[in-house]
């Protein structure tokens, strides 16, 4: 999570002021006089000068993350005197805390004289930190239980909590729920006596000073520098060496080269040749763990983590969502959905981490991956077996929409149907017999395959379903098997688009360049029985009813009027003003006694021109004269339109005949077609 947060766009080095600073006993300290060539147990005079100077600079408190368990005092009487005096003076002001480490029965404690100088346990705290099961330090303890000399148990604060308390000038408080608060800040995780550390982002460093330089500063009149940098600060004194006291922490993926972490200087320039710029280690000096803990407490920036039940609940919810995705989507899409969901979860955890909330990163992903694998296996072996069988067996003679409906319903196709209002389209190639006479059988087959593909693409593009092919004839249904409230409009659009496509194709479908293809379309809307029809062993998805028969007759009626598309009255009603129609005639088709009004679609409302509307109105006026038995006037009007319209030419001839030989008085204006 630290690495993801650091790599996320918009992440920048924090500018928050660090309450804690570090005086590091670093490689440079060992190489500069007076520390060079001296065992560190004999650095006490220099330590005394540094501690005294920092206290006089008004630091809040100094914490020792280094333990001197021995002394040369018994060999060189009075050698450590200045150090003891400094510790004594600082401890009386509450300005110094020495460190100890508790691993075995007896703790590793400061030299007895140092302990005496600071008042023993009053100013000594444990610097222990604990690793998680994977050997990584992510949190620090807040209190420790210790045994007193009389065998009783005492609760001591940790080094970090003690230093923070002294800087805040308040004692910590144990709440009723077991948590710990300091200066109004309830420390996250303190119920379990730990605090999860936020180390910040790469490049965010705790101000660090080399002890060699601070000693030189303290002994050469650098009081102003010391006050500027240490006043009000929690100062930690510890090692920052190549091998000593280095810890693997949750910052391990965002560490920097130590050559980039140049200490702040008072008097001395940095020594050259100490660090390799290309060396980045995953460990950090242990003193920075305590400094980070102090900052987290005083800045109120400790990380907040969930308990086991909450983590389990999130993992279970993630797995449940993955299960839904797997069961409702095809396998490939389910896999993509899992990847997208995982990326979203990772982004969410990074966003939450920026706010200080630690969400489980891998637990939900692992739960989701297991769920994905198991359910995909289940679907492959059991759940999808019947669905694959249905798709494979029926894909060649049932429409995809019908197959999908069966798959979704987990049922095999069966005989039966339902009454539904749908729109039927019937189409065939004009003069197909004449066209095919001069072609070889292979050429006819090639032509049909290309022609039927072209027309089928247009029909299916308008949400139609091809019911069947018979040579050059196409029967299509709009509004079944999938519901389509605009089935009538889609059917008429398919017809107009097909006619327009054919008019712009010359020499297509492997025919000679001078061959132009035209087709006739009959479209009608009505209530039909739709469903699987046939025998128990073989059946098709088909339609049955009078509306379908009328649609077929309308396709044939185009031959008598020279039109490309004829549409029934119910289709016109359902299209409304979205299609521009003209009424052609009222006819009685073969096999049907009830007369029907027939219409020709001129254009969609979007593509219609004023010419289309004017032509329709002129034809309507002529048809009105014709039906009112004003045959001479009708013949004249039709005659004007006949120059550009085959239908008007036919109607003009019929009006002239009636003008010369008027029909009976019971004539109703219906024209009877005597053939299909």
């Amino acid at each position: 999570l630290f690495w993801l947060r650091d790599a996320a766009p918009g992440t920048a080095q924090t500018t928050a002021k660090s309450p804690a600073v570090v005086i590091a006993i670093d490689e440079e300290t060992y190489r500069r006089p007076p520390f060079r060539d001296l065992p560190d147990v004999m650095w006490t005079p220099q330590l005394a000068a540094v501690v005294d100077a920092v206290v006089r600079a008004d630091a809040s408190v100094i914490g020792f993350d280094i333990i001197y368990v021995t002394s040369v005092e018994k060999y060189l009487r009075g050698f450590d005197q200045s150090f003891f005096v400094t510790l004594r003076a600082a401890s009386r002001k509450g300005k110094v805390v020495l460190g100890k480490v508790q691993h075995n029965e007896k703790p590793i404690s400061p030299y007895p004289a140092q302990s005496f100088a600071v008042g023993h346990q009053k100013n000594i705290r444990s610097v222990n930190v604990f690793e998680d099961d994977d050997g990584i330090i992510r949190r620090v303890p807040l209190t420790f239980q210790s045994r007193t000399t009389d065998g009783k148990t005492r609760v001591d604060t940790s080094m970090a909590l003690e230093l923070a308390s002294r800087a805040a000038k308040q004692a910590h408080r144990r709440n009723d729920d077991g948590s710990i608060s300091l200066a109004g800040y309830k420390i996250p995780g303190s119920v379990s006596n730990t605090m999860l550390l936020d180390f910040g982002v790469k490049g965010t460093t705790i101000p660090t000073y080399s002890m060699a330089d601070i000693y030189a500063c303290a002994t050469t009149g650098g009081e102003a520098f010391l006050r500027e940098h240490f006043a009000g600060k929690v100062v930690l004194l510890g090692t920052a060496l190549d091998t000593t006291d280095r810890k693997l922490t949750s910052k391990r993926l965002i560490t920097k080269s130590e050559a980039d972490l140049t200490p702040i200087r008072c008097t001395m320039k940095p020594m050259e040749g100490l660090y390799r710029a290309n060396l980045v280690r995953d460990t950090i000096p242990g003193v920075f763990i305590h400094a980070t803990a102090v900052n987290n407490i005083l800045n109120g920036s400790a990380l907040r983590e969930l308990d086991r039940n909450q983590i389990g609940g999130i993992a279970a919810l993630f797995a449940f969502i993955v299960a839904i995705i797997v069961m409702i989507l095809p396998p490939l899409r389910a896999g993509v959905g899992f990847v997208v969901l995982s990326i979203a979860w990772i982004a969410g955890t990074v966003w939450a981490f920026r706010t200080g909330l630690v969400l489980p990163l891998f637990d939900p992903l692992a739960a989701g991956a297991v769920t994905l694998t198991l359910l995909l296996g289940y679907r492959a072996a059991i759940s999808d077996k019947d669905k694959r069988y249905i798709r494979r067996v029926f894909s060649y003679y049932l429409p995809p929409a019908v197959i999908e409906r069966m798959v979704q319903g987990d049922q095999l196709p069966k005989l039966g149907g339902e009454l539904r209002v749908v729109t039927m389209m019937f189409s065939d190639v004009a003069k197909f017999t004449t066209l095919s006479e001069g072609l070889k059988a292979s050429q006819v087959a090639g032509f049909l395959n290309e022609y039927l593909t072209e027309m089928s693409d247009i029909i299916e593009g308008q949400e139609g379903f091809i019911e069947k092919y018979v040579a050059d004839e196409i029967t299509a249904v709009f509004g079944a098997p999938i519901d389509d409230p605009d089935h009538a409009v889609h059917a008429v659009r398919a017809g107009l688009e097909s006619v327009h496509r054919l008019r712009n194709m010359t020499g297509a479908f492997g025919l000679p360049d001078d061959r132009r293809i035209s087709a006739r379309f009959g479209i009608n809307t009505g209530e039909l029985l739709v469903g699987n029809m046939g025998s128990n062993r073989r059946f098709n998805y088909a339609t049955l009813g009078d509306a379908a028969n009328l649609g077929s007759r309308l396709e044939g009626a185009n031959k008598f009027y020279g039109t490309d598309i004829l549409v029934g009255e119910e289709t016109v009603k359902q299209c409304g003003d979205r299609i521009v129609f003209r009424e052609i005639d009222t006819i009685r088709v073969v096999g049907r006694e009830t007369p029907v009004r027939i219409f020709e679609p001129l254009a969609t409302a979007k593509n219609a021109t004023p010419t289309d509307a004017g032509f329709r109105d002129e034809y309507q006026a002529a048809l009105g004269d014709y039906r009112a038995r004003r045959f001479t006037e009708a013949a004249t009007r039709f005659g004007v339109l006949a120059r550009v319209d085959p239908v008007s030419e036919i109607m003009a001839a019929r009006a002239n005949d009636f003008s010369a030989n008027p029909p009976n008085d019971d004539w109703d204006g219906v024209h009877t077609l005597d053939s299909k």
Side-chain angles (χ1 to χ4, degrees):
L1 284 173
F2 278 105
W3 178 80
L4 287 171
R5 182 177 68 177
D6 194 72
T11 301
Q13 179 176 339
T14 180
T15 57
K17 191 173 182 180
S18 173
V21 299
V22 171
I23 296 178
I25 299 174
D26 55 4
E27 300 288 346
E28 183 176 349
T29 302
Y30 275 89
R31 295 176 184 232
R32 287 191 184 273
F35 305 96
R36 187 179 60 193
D37 300 329
L38 278 179
D40 53 9
V41 73
M42 298 184 70
W43 291 359
T44 51
Q46 291 77 25
L47 283 172
V50 169
V51 172
D52 183 60
V54 171
V55 170
R56 283 188 284 105
D58 202 22
S60 292
V61 62
I62 301 174
F64 276 65
D65 186 40
I66 184 168
I67 305 169
Y68 291 99
V69 297
T70 61
S71 172
V72 297
E73 182 65 22
K74 64 180 180 179
Y75 304 108
L76 299 173
R77 187 67 65 178
F79 185 86
D80 288 347
Q81 188 67 30
S82 61
F83 187 48
F84 297 151
V85 171
T86 299
L87 291 179
R88 185 69 168 177
S91 65
R92 287 178 175 177
K93 298 178 182 179
K95 296 273 189 174
V96 67
V97 180
L98 300 183
K100 67 175 181 177
V101 176
Q102 179 84 41
H103 289 300
N104 296 309
E105 184 67 23
K106 294 290 186 179
I108 300 175
S109 298
Y111 183 68
Q114 297 175 19
S115 178
F116 175 81
V118 298
H120 298 296
Q121 191 57 40
K122 178 181 178 181
N123 291 299
I124 299 177
R125 292 293 182 269
S126 176
V127 293
N128 289 72
V129 291
F130 300 133
E131 299 175 348
D132 285 350
D133 293 338
D134 55 1
I136 297 170
I137 297 171
R138 296 182 176 90
R139 65 200 83 235
V140 293
L142 296 174
T143 64
F144 293 90
Q145 288 187 348
S146 303
R147 285 188 178 181
T148 62
T149 55
D150 56 3
K152 296 181 180 179
T153 300
R154 181 185 66 238
V155 177
D156 294 329
T157 54
S158 66
M159 173 65 80
L161 182 57
E162 182 66 25
L163 295 177
S165 297
R166 296 195 184 192
K169 295 181 173 57
Q170 294 185 28
H172 74 278
R173 182 170 62 88
R174 179 72 69 172
N175 301 313
D176 294 339
D177 61 355
S179 62
I180 296 175
S181 295
L182 178 64
Y185 175 57
K186 185 176 180 179
I187 302 174
S190 56
V191 172
S192 58
N193 195 40
T194 60
M195 181 180 71
L196 193 62
L197 296 172
D198 187 352
F199 287 97
V201 299
K202 183 185 292 186
T204 301
T205 59
I206 294 168
T208 305
Y209 308 83
S210 173
M211 194 173 81
D213 184 62
I214 296 302
Y215 172 72
C217 188
T219 56
T220 57
E223 290 84 0
F225 175 88
L226 296 174
R227 180 167 292 276
E228 177 187 353
H229 289 268
F230 295 116
K233 297 292 186 179
V234 174
V235 181
L236 282 121
L237 183 68
T239 59
L241 300 171
D242 197 44
T243 57
T244 305
D245 191 33
R246 300 193 68 91
K247 306 293 185 183
L248 187 66
T249 70
S250 48
K251 191 181 180 178
R252 65 195 184 282
L253 300 180
I254 59 167
T255 54
K256 295 182 66 176
S257 169
E258 293 179 13
D260 297 333
L261 306 178
T262 304
I264 302 167
R265 294 291 165 166
C266 173
T267 61
M268 296 179 174
K269 293 182 179 180
M271 291 186 71
E272 296 182 359
L274 288 181
Y275 303 105
R276 290 165 47 193
N278 62 346
L279 177 62
V280 179
R281 292 187 290 177
D282 55 4
T283 58
I284 63 173
V287 66
F288 290 102
I289 298 175
H290 300 292
T292 298
V294 171
N295 281 349
N296 286 176
I297 295 172
L298 294 179
N299 289 334
S301 59
L303 296 174
R304 309 182 306 277
E305 58 183 333
L306 306 180
D307 60 36
R308 291 183 180 273
N309 292 334
Q310 292 170 321
I311 293 174
I314 290 175
L317 178 61
F318 192 92
F320 178 72
I321 295 173
V322 171
I324 294 175
I325 292 174
V326 174
M327 297 311 293
I328 66 176
L329 294 178
L332 181 59
R333 291 186 180 180
V336 173
F338 172 71
V339 171
V340 171
L341 183 64
S342 298
I343 293 174
W345 175 252
I346 293 171
T349 60
V350 174
W351 176 85
F353 197 62
R354 281 183 169 180
T355 69
L357 176 62
V358 182
L359 295 177
L361 177 62
F362 293 112
D363 301 65
L365 299 182
V370 171
T371 302
L372 177 73
T373 303
L374 292 177
L375 288 183
L376 285 180
Y378 168 77
R379 286 184 57 174
I382 300 173
S383 176
D384 289 355
K385 184 178 180 180
D386 290 342
K387 294 180 180 180
R388 292 195 300 272
Y389 172 77
I390 292 173
R391 287 192 178 99
R392 184 177 67 254
V393 172
F394 298 101
S395 60
Y396 292 103
Y397 62 91
L398 286 180
V402 178
I403 295 175
E404 286 305 314
R405 173 178 286 186
M406 292 187 299
V407 167
Q408 295 302 322
D410 288 325
Q411 60 180 3
L412 295 175
K414 58 184 178 181
L415 293 176
E418 59 178 331
L419 287 174
R420 295 176 65 172
V421 176
V422 298
T423 298
M424 297 293 300
M425 171 189 281
F426 295 86
S427 169
D428 70 354
V429 176
K431 301 179 181 178
F432 176 70
T433 302
T434 303
L435 178 70
S436 61
E437 282 180 351
L439 300 175
K440 298 178 182 179
S442 59
Q443 291 177 306
V444 174
F447 157 71
L448 282 177
N449 288 335
E450 292 189 37
Y451 167 78
L452 294 176
T453 298
E454 189 79 26
M455 295 298 100
S456 297
D457 288 345
I458 294 174
I459 291 170
E460 291 175 350
Q462 290 292 337
E463 302 183 28
F465 149 57
I466 307 297
E467 180 187 296
K468 62 184 175 183
Y469 302 113
V470 179
D472 63 313
E473 298 177 7
I474 302 174
T475 302
V477 183
F478 294 80
I482 302 302
D483 292 332
D484 178 12
D486 296 323
H487 52 83
V489 176
H490 288 148
V492 175
R493 284 179 181 171
L496 289 171
E497 188 177 342
S498 298
V499 169
H500 177 76
R501 177 73 174 137
L502 291 173
R503 285 176 180 172
N504 288 278
M505 297 177 70
T506 302
F509 311 119
L511 299 176
D513 293 342
D514 60 346
R515 296 285 184 94
R516 183 183 296 276
I517 302 300
S518 63
R520 296 184 289 261
F521 297 85
I523 300 173
N524 190 48
T525 301
E527 188 175 63
L528 296 173
L529 180 66
V530 296
N532 295 314
M533 300 180 191
S535 70
N536 288 327
R537 293 188 301 274
R538 184 176 181 83
F539 51 83
N540 289 317
Y541 189 87
T543 58
L544 183 64
D546 181 63
N549 296 331
L550 178 58
S552 177
R553 297 294 184 269
L554 293 179
E555 183 273 318
N558 285 288
K559 291 184 289 187
F560 297 96
Y561 289 95
T563 52
D564 294 315
I565 308 173
L566 286 178
V567 176
E569 186 173 1
E570 184 60 30
T571 302
V572 175
K573 290 180 181 178
Q574 294 214 12
C575 289
D577 58 1
R578 289 175 287 181
I579 306 291
V580 176
F581 293 96
R582 68 159 169 169
E583 184 177 356
I584 296 293
D585 199 0
T586 302
I587 63 174
R588 185 178 290 108
V589 297
V590 175
R592 184 185 175 98
E593 293 298 325
T594 304
V596 294
R597 296 166 65 193
I598 58 175
F599 299 79
E600 179 188 24
L602 301 178
T604 62
K606 180 180 179 180
N607 298 324
T609 64
T611 302
D612 294 325
F615 176 75
R616 177 194 60 191
D617 295 341
E618 287 295 325
Y619 186 90
Q620 193 66 38
L623 186 62
D625 287 338
Y626 174 78
R627 288 174 174 168
R629 303 174 71 96
R630 296 190 292 271
F631 298 117
T632 302
E633 292 83 346
T636 301
R637 288 179 180 272
F638 282 130
V640 173
L641 299 175
R643 287 174 290 183
V644 294
D645 180 34
V647 178
S648 296
E649 184 178 357
I650 294 170
M651 296 300 290
R654 192 189 301 170
N656 283 323
D657 288 342
F658 281 140
S659 179
N661 302 291
N664 297 330
D665 293 341
D666 60 352
W667 180 76
D668 56 4
V670 176
H671 182 71
T672 300
L673 300 181
D674 53 7
S675 62
K676 298 181 181 180

